[in-house]
Amino acid sequence: MSPPGTVRIVDDIAAAFADVVIDSFAARLEAGFTLVLSGGPTARLCYERLADQGAALIDWRVVDVLMGDERCVDADDPDANQRLVRQALLDRVGDLATFHPMSCDAVDDYDRLLAWIPALDLVHLGLGPDGHTASLFPDSTGLDAPAGRMAVLNTDPSGGNPHRRMTVTLGAIRRARRVVFTVAGESKRAIWSQVSSDADVPATRVRAGEVLWLVDRAAAGV
Ligand code: 6PG
């Protein structure tokens, strides 16, 4: 058994992630490119590398950046995903087409925005030790969003992940042309072993045009 999608074991998660974004940008189907980003320490490493590696290869002026999830905190709070994305990537790459940070006060606006965008070229997702992805936690109400709903507020019923959250839904992710998961570090070995047996956790419910799992050797245990 394996999780839905393709698994690639890599030496350097950040470099592999940057390569995937650069390749996806080069192969884009339209003039613009829609990129949905995530939070967490792995994302920070990946975005810093993307800023460097993609400098000459991505025309950021045609890229629309959206968020896959956000913590309901101030925009400049150290826990805010938008702060991470600005620091690690946006502040380093110059002008973008657009950036759409999530605001927990405007979930319906984000829902409409996502529904209006014809296709998401690339969605970056992480894997939490409990199997969560974006802010879709095990047994959370966000997993049961009505069909057609693209963004919701959500909380972790176990209390393990702090803050109320805003997140894209599985239905929104399904509209992605490509999803790339990054799974890094020894702390992910146990959950990766479950995910790679296709255990039922939020991350293994993700479907999209293409799903690619980048897993580093520490997480994969090889
Ligand atoms: C967040 C996320 C979350 C993250 C995972 C994995 O806001 O924290 O978007 O889903 O991607 O927790 O994060 P790491 O790979 O950095 O551990």
Side-chain angles (χ1 to χ4, degrees):
M1 291 278 277
S2 57
T6 305
V7 177
R8 199 180 291 167
I9 307 296
V10 300
D11 292 319
D12 181 338
I13 201 86
F17 172 80
D19 284 343
V20 167
V21 180
I22 290 165
D23 290 350
S24 302
F25 180 80
R28 70 193 182 283
L29 300 177
E30 281 117 31
F33 187 74
T34 304
L35 179 62
V36 181
L37 298 179
S38 151
T42 311
R44 182 181 288 279
L45 292 176
C46 288
Y47 302 159
E48 287 172 351
R49 183 66 75 90
L50 177 61
D52 292 344
Q53 225 165 287
L57 300 168
I58 293 178
D59 179 357
W60 289 98
R61 293 167 306 175
V62 302
V63 179
D64 295 298
V65 174
L66 291 96
M67 296 301 304
D69 72 320
E70 185 54 280
R71 294 107 190 263
C72 298
V73 295
D74 288 343
D76 58 353
D77 188 285
D79 284 349
N81 285 347
Q82 63 169 292
R83 180 174 184 260
L84 179 155
V85 163
R86 286 182 210 276
Q87 288 179 337
L89 182 67
L90 306 187
D91 291 349
R92 300 164 184 234
V93 298
D95 290 343
L96 295 174
T98 57
F99 173 48
H100 298 279
M102 282 180 161
S103 158
C104 294
D105 297 330
V107 64
D108 289 344
D109 291 348
Y110 219 85
D111 179 64
R112 277 191 291 271
L113 170 71
L114 283 163
W116 174 79
I117 293 172
L120 307 173
D121 290 295
L122 193 144
V123 175
H124 176 214
L125 294 173
L127 173 68
D130 53 359
H132 81 256
T133 193
S135 283
L136 295 166
F137 304 104
D139 303 319
S140 66
T141 56
L143 291 169
D144 302 316
R149 184 77 196 181
M150 301 286 136
V152 290
L153 295 174
N154 203 24
T155 48
D156 178 4
S158 81
N161 293 281
H163 305 301
R164 200 160 67 108
R165 308 286 182 110
M166 182 165 155
T167 184
V168 293
T169 61
L170 291 170
I173 298 170
R174 193 181 272 274
R175 297 177 62 234
R177 292 192 163 125
R178 190 176 216 192
V179 163
V180 56
F181 277 96
T182 49
V183 185
E186 229 178 284
S187 66
K188 299 292 167 62
R189 196 174 289 183
I191 187 64
W192 174 248
S193 139
Q194 287 185 51
V195 164
S196 54
S197 324
D198 202 14
D200 182 21
V201 294
T204 53
R205 294 193 197 176
V206 164
R207 301 289 182 279
E210 182 194 341
V211 179
L212 174 63
W213 295 83
L214 300 177
V215 186
D216 78 0
R217 294 189 181 281
V222 294

